[in-house]
């Protein structure tokens, strides 16, 4: 299902009123993104980028204007951390502050942005995606680990500053967060919750317009966010339970959206479908599906079907190349393999379209993902309406 086919009643977070495009006037530069999208569509009519050749009003509008917390999940290997970083850049426009968080202890943000390993503290990371002549916003980053979060929690609610650090030295903190996974998730999500809920009363703390969470994989995302249920057998009352219940009011509200990242392969698409069903069953708000690492589709269906060695040899000869048998056979084999891959991707794309949620696509970048590539991907997410 494409974005313009969505039913607003089924997806209350999605802003479908394209007629309200003038409300977003000035959010894009008509001499930049729209022109690029139209040129890509003209030069590569069969490519994924042709889908960006839409009226400027579409490019200017976000599908998720009410969302403050964007949770990004996906099966391992689908590129959810890359999508999280690109989304943070895309959201940080027009002077907005965005916080990009990670909770899996891999220091993925530091590697992607080529900075030193992040501490358990918010750090200014980079400027956001430029839009026209307007001043871009700022992306901050936070690496959250359960041990540091527990020490902060003990200091805030039980005044155990030095005593808490002493417990950490003897391993009590690690022990406590390991034997009670529900508590661990409350601590990790609690820091994210605090960042989303900040306002002018939090003196000295940065107030964020949006928070992007690079969350655990799809198979664990419902358990991770459903902290109230996870604590049911551990804490019936008390500050931890109270905090978990309060956080659930945010996680189940229209201010949160859980976006799922997939690739056009059978297992990731199936896990995405299962994840969406699980989120719905637990009343957690489903966002969009980002189809990542999409291969370019420069060849037409007729060209894909042209695996006749004689035709390939004639084409090689026509451009002045020697149609040696080994070269022809190799090209024919690669062509057939590419055609099979395209058929598989077409079938999986059809399944993604049946999931009933907004979908977005990002290309596989041959040069890999560096900071420049992240900005490129951010521009594509914004052009398609995820940011």
């Amino acid at each position: 299902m494409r974005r313009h086919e969505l039913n607003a009643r089924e997806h209350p977070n999605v802003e479908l009123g394209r007629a309200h495009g003038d409300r977003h006037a000035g959010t894009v530069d008509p001499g930049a993104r729209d022109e690029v999208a139209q040129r890509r569509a003209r030069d590569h009519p069969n490519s994924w980028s042709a889908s960006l050749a839409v009226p400027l009003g579409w490019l200017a509008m976000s599908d998720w204007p009410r969302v403050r917390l964007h949770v990004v999940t996906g099966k391992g290997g689908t590129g959810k951390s890359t999508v999280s970083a690109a989304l943070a850049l895309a959201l940080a426009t027009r002077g907005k502050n965005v916080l990009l968080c990670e909770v899996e202890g891999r220091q993925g943000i530091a590697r992607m942005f080529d900075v030193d390993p992040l501490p358990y503290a918010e750090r200014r990371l980079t400027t956001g995606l430029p839009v026209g002549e307007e001043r871009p916003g700022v992306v901050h980053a936070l690496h959250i680990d359960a041990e540091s979060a527990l020490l902060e929690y003990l200091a805030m609610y039980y005044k155990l500053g030095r005593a808490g650090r002493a417990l950490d030295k003897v391993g009590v903190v690690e022990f406590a967060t390991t034997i009670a996974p529900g508590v661990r998730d409350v601590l990790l999500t609690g820091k994210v919750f605090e960042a989303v809920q900040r306002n002018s009363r939090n003196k000295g703390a940065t107030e964020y317009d949006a928070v992007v969470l690079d969350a655990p994989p799809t198979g664990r995302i419902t358990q991770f966010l459903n902290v109230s249920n996870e604590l049911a057998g551990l804490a019936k009352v008390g500050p931890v339970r109270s905090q978990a219940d309060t956080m659930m009011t945010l996680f189940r509200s229209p201010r949160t959206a859980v976006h799922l990242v997939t690739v056009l392969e059978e297992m990731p698409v199936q896990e995405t479908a299962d994840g969406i069903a699980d989120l719905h069953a637990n009343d957690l708000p489903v966002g969009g599906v980002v189809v990542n690492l999409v291969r370019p589709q420069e060849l037409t269906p007729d060209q894909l079907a042209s695996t006749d060695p004689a035709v390939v040899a004639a084409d090689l000869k026509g451009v002045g190349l020697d149609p040696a048998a080994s070269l022809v056979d190799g090209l024919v084999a690669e062509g057939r393999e590419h055609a099979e891959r395209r058929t598989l991707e077409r079938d999986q794309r059809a399944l993604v379209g049946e999931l009933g949620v907004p979908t977005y696509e990002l290309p596989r970048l041959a040069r890999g993902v560096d900071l420049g590539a992240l900005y490129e991907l951010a521009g594509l997410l914004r052009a398609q309406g995820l940011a």
Side-chain angles (χ1 to χ4, degrees):
M1 180 178 292
R2 305 307 299 173
R3 291 185 293 114
H4 57 283
E5 298 171 343
L6 291 173
N7 185 315
R9 287 172 296 181
E10 296 176 0
H11 300 278
N13 277 344
V14 179
E15 180 64 61
L16 290 177
R18 300 301 179 187
H20 299 293
D22 55 348
R23 181 166 58 87
H24 295 263
T27 58
V28 294
D29 178 7
R33 198 163 63 210
D34 194 43
E35 181 181 346
V36 169
Q38 299 289 347
R39 186 174 66 250
R40 283 174 172 164
R42 183 178 63 250
D43 294 343
H44 305 285
N46 298 303
S47 71
W48 59 270
S49 58
S51 64
L52 299 186
V54 294
L56 182 62
W58 278 53
L59 292 174
M61 180 173 285
S62 168
D63 291 339
W64 313 95
R66 300 171 63 190
V67 173
R68 289 280 304 279
L69 173 58
H70 296 263
V71 180
V72 181
T73 184
K75 181 176 173 59
T78 59
K80 71 176 179 67
S81 295
T82 299
V83 173
S84 299
L87 178 57
L89 291 172
L91 289 166
T93 58
R94 294 181 296 164
K96 292 181 179 178
N97 281 318
V98 175
L99 180 64
L100 174 61
C101 303
E102 62 181 0
V103 294
E104 295 186 276
R106 296 184 289 106
Q107 288 289 347
I109 296 175
R111 288 197 300 273
M112 282 188 291
F113 288 89
D114 194 23
V115 297
D116 293 335
L118 297 171
Y120 179 68
E122 295 162 27
R123 291 286 186 269
R124 186 186 188 280
L125 194 60
T126 186
T127 54
L129 180 71
V131 176
E133 299 298 322
E134 296 184 352
R135 179 175 62 88
V138 176
V139 176
H140 297 75
L142 175 62
H143 174 83
I144 307 173
D145 66 272
E147 289 76 19
S148 297
L150 178 55
L151 289 175
E152 182 180 54
Y153 182 86
L154 293 174
M156 288 177 60
Y157 291 96
Y158 294 97
K159 310 302 180 185
L160 295 180
R162 293 182 180 178
R165 288 190 291 272
L167 291 174
D168 186 36
K169 289 181 179 179
V170 298
V172 173
V173 170
E174 182 179 0
F175 176 74
T177 56
T178 300
I179 64 170
V183 173
R184 186 182 188 90
D185 289 344
V186 170
L187 294 168
L188 294 173
T189 54
K191 189 65 177 176
V192 176
F193 171 83
E194 185 271 330
V196 175
Q197 295 291 92
R198 281 183 200 162
N199 53 42
S200 58
R201 293 193 299 271
N202 299 101
K203 295 181 180 180
T206 302
E207 186 176 351
Y208 295 106
D209 299 284
V211 174
V212 178
L213 173 60
D214 181 6
T218 310
R220 209 176 81 77
I221 188 61
T222 299
Q223 175 186 349
F224 179 75
L225 291 176
N226 205 8
V227 290
S228 185
N229 282 4
E230 291 303 310
L231 277 179
L234 296 172
K236 302 293 185 182
V237 295
V240 175
R241 178 60 193 237
S242 176
Q243 183 181 8
D245 290 341
T246 302
M247 289 190 297
M248 290 309 302
T249 62
L250 169 66
F251 297 158
R252 288 195 169 119
S253 77
R255 296 201 299 158
T256 296
V258 182
H259 308 296
L260 298 96
V261 182
T262 188
V263 294
L264 294 176
E265 297 175 5
E266 185 175 355
M267 287 186 63
V269 170
Q270 183 59 55
E271 189 164 315
T272 298
D274 294 341
I276 289 174
D278 201 22
L279 289 166
H280 281 314
N282 287 273
D283 296 322
L284 291 166
V286 177
V289 170
V290 179
V291 181
N292 195 25
L293 302 174
V294 177
R295 288 173 171 81
Q297 300 180 20
E298 305 292 350
L299 299 179
T300 65
D302 289 340
Q303 290 172 325
L304 284 173
S306 300
T307 55
D308 185 346
V311 175
V312 175
D315 288 343
L316 289 172
K317 192 172 182 179
V319 295
L321 295 176
D322 179 19
S326 59
L327 177 58
V328 172
D329 291 344
L331 290 174
V332 168
E334 288 185 9
R336 289 173 178 167
E337 181 181 340
H338 183 69
E340 291 174 359
R341 180 72 195 181
R342 282 278 296 275
T343 300
L344 172 64
E345 290 185 346
R346 183 192 64 216
D347 294 343
Q348 295 304 314
R349 183 180 276 108
L351 293 175
V352 170
E354 295 173 358
L355 294 175
V357 299
T359 59
Y360 313 86
E361 292 194 2
L362 292 177
R364 179 187 297 273
L365 301 177
R367 67 180 185 277
V369 178
D370 55 13
L371 185 56
L374 288 175
Y375 278 104
E376 180 179 344
L377 297 176
L380 294 172
L381 290 178
R382 186 162 180 80
Q384 294 176 75
L386 184 58

